[in-house]
Amino acid sequence: MHMDQTTEAIAHFIGLFSQAVEEARLRLDYSDFKALPDAPLEQNDLLNIKINIVSPYSLEGFKPRVDYTPPPVDRFDAQVSVAIRYDPIPLYNEGQGAPAATIWGAGTPPLMAGGEAFVEYQPLGSLALYLKQQARLEDNDYLSIGGHGLHFSSVGDTDAALIALIKAASPFQPFGDLHEPGSAAEIGDFILHAPHIADAFIDAIDGNDGVFVMRGESIEGKFLNGEEVDELPALDTYLPEKFSEEEDVDEAETDFSTHATMDVEAGANLLVNEAILVNDWYGAPVLAIAGDYVHFNAISQLNVWSDNDTTSEALNGWKSLTEAPTQAFNTATIQTIDNPPPPGLENANGEPVFPAHWQVSRIDGDLMLANWIKQVSFVEDNDITVMSASGGGTEIVLGNNTVINATSLAALGNYYDLIIVGGNVYHANIICQTNILLDDDLVGTVGDFQTGGAASLSTGGNLLWNEASITQYGTMSFDTMPPSYLEALEKLGDGPGAAPQSLLSGSDFAGLTTIKVLYISGDVVDLQYVSQINVLGDADQVALAKSQSSAHADASWDISTGSNALINQASIVDGGVNSTTYTGGAVYSDELLIQAELISDDTNLYTQGADALVSEAVAFLSDDLMASPEGDADQNAPDSSTPDGGTADVMQTMLG
């Protein structure tokens, strides 16, 4: 489109550019090009080229071996110079003059006359980990199945019964609910106060049955439920079959025949707390401590449970004679493993060499190592169900919950030949484990319920398992501070200086060419703490009723309300080597083992027999159902579309 000059200027200004109209000749050329068909390529004659090849080589006979001599290589000499910045640690021996700089290297000191130097290494810093793992699950199901036309209300106060068990357990766990310290000073006070907590606990439970206490400067061995044993049992041996990996999968297949079967699982909950701590942050064959050395180890284990089941007299023949009762285990291991340092060097005459100097890493202040782990699992699985048999196979799973807290931590640091501490050393390993189980089940019948098929009922078979171990690698021996270490301590306290000759020539460092030293001007506080708590409320209430529409008197029943497993496993490993500790103050060592169990005889959850309780708790959905059925049975059958009601968590089941 042709535009005048004014329109063209406006169009360019607002960004509307006109396209030039194609010329007519271009359109004509395109039409000819499009109409031209593809012409086939013409094949020309092939080229005929003659090549004459002349080769200076002639073929000879076959030679299975080829002789090869490489051609000579021209060799040349070159020299490369590289400049590298180097900051050695100056070393000082008597007779060589004063050192030119600080022992731990500041700036760039000159080399010694002999040119011998050692690389500088940095000291380790403090390490602190505070970890809390908490799992809470509420799986309180209500299930009504079958044509019974009934509603089953809860019997008793399960929350109050569980709270009563928790309160009963509190006095038997002195280290289970402590506030975590937040600084090096608080950790030191915590370790110093721990033996006083043990004293108060022992005084409070004096003569209490079911509580085993062992205390001394050193405990060594394996302990099971208050007795020292040679071997401890394995968890797999006592784990309920429902959690066993060797369970045959084929046996668990559901029978989908037309025969009426009712399989009910209201228990089988698994709670696991697992923690592994490896403390290998620092260590040395020789320690020199200006102040006190305080060491405290404690393992405290507690199992509390109530398994007072109430069942109808009509079901007495259902219980299997081989049903395992509730079992509780407290297993503990406290051991020290001998771990000598590697042998030293010797000269040509077989005599040990002695170091000529030391290398020092310095920490001004306190060295804090703290790992505080607390694991809590709280599960409520108080199921209520009223049921009658129906045609075919029915599988109901109201429990079978799994809660796991797991932690694995390894603190890996450096080893030295000598550690010198200007203050005190506080070291403690504490493991406290608690299992609390409420498994008071109620299983009753309504009216003239009966069955002629196979029937089994399991309300026990629970497992409470505490497993703890504290392992120290390297033995420890204590002695008073020799003069050579006092001199070294004073030198390092004043600042950089040369190693005392009496220290270098001492027997503790025979076989070393250099002493690697870690100097800490303040205190060393080392605390490893693990607290594990499992709480399970599994008070199930089951009512069995006869169907209004069809009796199914030959139905098979398999009901399980127990088989729960509460497991705590904790391990603390202290790395190190056999060491000699010299102290300028006092030495305090205390180790404590507590293994306790508390079995509740009655939680006051069920105050009457099963038949009476079920009769009071069960109500008909309609008064018409209480009358004798007349006419068509379907007229009196309950409306399956009307729910019974119950908790919001209606059910966590699988019906098949």
Side-chain angles (χ1 to χ4, degrees), residues 350-487:
E351 299 175 351
V353 299
F354 287 90
H357 36 68
W358 64 5
Q359 294 175 280
V360 180
S361 287
R362 185 184 185 96
I363 296 178
D364 292 317
D366 300 329
L367 175 62
M368 180 179 69
L369 305 173
N371 291 309
W372 186 282
I373 296 177
K374 189 169 186 178
Q375 298 172 322
V376 180
S377 297
F378 187 90
V379 176
E380 284 187 297
D381 184 37
N382 304 310
D383 304 318
I384 302 174
T385 177
V386 53
M387 64 185 70
S388 59
S390 58
T394 302
E395 182 178 358
I396 303 171
V397 180
L398 301 172
N400 202 20
N401 300 293
T402 300
V403 173
I404 298 177
N405 293 317
T407 296
S408 179
L409 174 66
L412 307 178
N414 291 336
Y415 273 72
Y416 303 87
D417 301 315
L418 170 63
I419 297 178
I420 299 178
V421 181
N424 305 310
V425 173
Y426 305 101
H427 177 239
N429 298 312
I430 300 175
I431 298 176
C432 47
Q433 300 172 319
T434 304
N435 288 319
I436 301 175
L437 170 65
L438 173 65
D439 188 41
D440 293 354
D441 301 317
L442 170 64
V443 183
T445 61
V446 180
D448 57 349
F449 170 83
Q450 59 182 350
T451 181
S456 64
L457 172 64
S458 174
T459 59
N462 302 294
L463 175 65
L464 289 79
W465 184 277
N466 287 322
E467 180 181 343
S469 66
I470 297 177
T471 303
Q472 169 69 52
Y473 280 88
T475 60
M476 296 187 68
S477 60
F478 297 91
D479 203 347
T480 57
M481 186 86 71
S484 58
Y485 290 90
L486 289 174
E487 184 181 356

Side-chain angles (χ1 to χ4, degrees), residues 34-369:
K34 183 177 180 181
L36 183 65
D38 293 335
L41 297 176
E42 296 181 0
Q43 297 182 355
N44 300 325
D45 296 336
L46 296 177
L47 297 176
N48 186 8
I49 302 175
K50 295 182 180 181
I51 301 176
N52 295 326
I53 299 176
V54 178
S55 174
Y57 305 102
S58 60
L59 297 177
E60 299 180 356
F62 174 70
K63 291 185 178 181
R65 180 176 179 180
V66 178
D67 296 330
Y68 174 73
T69 301
V73 179
D74 296 335
R75 301 181 61 183
F76 63 95
D77 296 330
Q79 183 176 0
V80 179
S81 299
V82 180
I84 300 176
R85 177 183 174 84
Y86 182 54
D87 297 337
I89 299 177
L91 306 172
Y92 170 69
N93 290 326
E94 292 188 6
Q96 295 182 348
T102 61
I103 291 179
W104 36 85
T108 308
L111 289 171
M112 290 179 52
E116 187 177 12
F118 295 85
V119 296
E120 179 184 2
Y121 60 96
Q122 296 296 326
L124 295 171
S126 295
L127 173 67
L129 172 67
Y130 293 85
L131 176 64
K132 183 176 182 180
Q133 294 178 313
Q134 183 172 354
R136 180 181 176 89
L137 173 65
E138 293 186 12
D139 186 33
N140 302 321
D141 303 317
Y142 179 85
L143 173 65
S144 175
I145 186 172
H148 47 70
L150 304 173
H151 176 79
F152 188 20
S153 300
S154 176
V155 177
D157 190 346
T158 56
D159 290 340
L162 184 59
I163 292 174
L165 284 180
I166 296 175
K167 290 182 177 179
S170 180
F172 295 91
Q173 185 55 274
F175 300 101
D177 191 19
L178 300 177
H179 180 70
E180 61 271 13
S183 64
E186 291 181 2
I187 294 175
D189 293 339
F190 176 88
I191 296 175
L192 289 174
H193 185 62
H196 299 292
I197 297 177
D199 294 336
F201 172 76
I202 294 174
D203 294 339
I205 55 91
D206 186 22
N208 195 306
D209 294 335
V211 181
F212 168 78
V213 178
M214 176 179 286
R215 191 177 187 184
E217 293 184 1
S218 177
I219 298 177
E220 187 83 13
K222 301 177 181 179
F223 301 89
L224 171 63
N225 293 340
E227 295 183 0
E228 187 173 1
V229 296
D230 294 331
E231 294 295 333
L232 293 175
L235 174 61
D236 295 340
T237 305
Y238 297 93
L239 200 64
E241 293 184 3
K242 298 180 183 297
F243 309 116
S244 176
E245 296 180 356
E246 299 178 359
E247 183 180 1
D248 190 355
V249 178
D250 296 336
E251 295 180 0
E253 293 183 356
T254 304
D255 183 8
F256 292 100
S257 65
T258 58
H259 178 71
T261 60
M262 300 292 292
D263 294 333
V264 182
E265 179 59 78
N269 297 290
L270 177 63
L271 284 69
V272 179
N273 291 319
E274 183 181 19
I276 301 175
L277 285 181
V278 178
N279 180 19
D280 202 11
W281 195 241
Y282 72 103
V286 182
L287 284 81
I289 304 170
D292 301 332
Y293 178 87
V294 179
H295 170 77
F296 182 77
N297 279 348
I299 294 179
S300 179
Q301 299 172 313
L302 173 63
N303 286 319
V304 179
W305 80 91
S306 177
D307 190 12
N308 301 306
D309 303 315
T310 302
T311 59
S312 174
E313 295 181 358
L315 306 178
N316 288 341
W318 286 28
K319 286 198 172 184
S320 174
L321 297 178
T322 59
E323 180 188 10
T326 294
Q327 300 183 83
F329 294 88
N330 288 319
T331 68
T333 302
I334 302 178
Q335 61 181 341
T336 300
I337 299 176
D338 185 65
N339 187 27
L345 302 176
E346 296 180 350
N347 57 22
N349 299 326
E351 299 175 351
V353 299
F354 287 90
H357 36 68
W358 64 5
Q359 294 175 280
V360 180
S361 287
R362 185 184 185 96
I363 296 178
D364 292 317
D366 300 329
L367 175 62
M368 180 179 69
L369 305 173

Side-chain angles (χ1 to χ4, degrees), residues 439-565:
D439 188 41
D440 293 354
D441 301 317
L442 170 64
V443 183
T445 61
V446 180
D448 57 349
F449 170 83
Q450 59 182 350
T451 181
S456 64
L457 172 64
S458 174
T459 59
N462 302 294
L463 175 65
L464 289 79
W465 184 277
N466 287 322
E467 180 181 343
S469 66
I470 297 177
T471 303
Q472 169 69 52
Y473 280 88
T475 60
M476 296 187 68
S477 60
F478 297 91
D479 203 347
T480 57
M481 186 86 71
S484 58
Y485 290 90
L486 289 174
E487 184 181 356
L489 184 63
E490 293 175 357
K491 281 182 174 292
L492 293 175
D494 295 337
Q501 186 59 39
S502 57
L503 182 70
L504 298 176
S505 59
S507 59
D508 291 333
F509 307 108
L512 300 177
T513 57
T514 304
I515 304 176
K516 294 199 302 183
V517 181
L518 172 62
Y519 173 71
I520 304 167
S521 63
D523 297 333
V524 175
V525 288
D526 187 350
L527 174 61
Q528 310 298 313
Y529 176 87
V530 178
S531 174
Q532 298 175 320
I533 302 174
N534 284 320
V535 179
L536 173 61
D538 185 42
D540 302 313
Q541 300 175 10
V542 180
L544 307 179
K546 181 180 179 180
S547 174
Q548 297 284 342
S549 57
S550 57
H552 292 293
D554 61 343
S556 299
W557 291 80
D558 185 3
I559 300 176
S560 175
T561 60
S563 298
N564 301 290

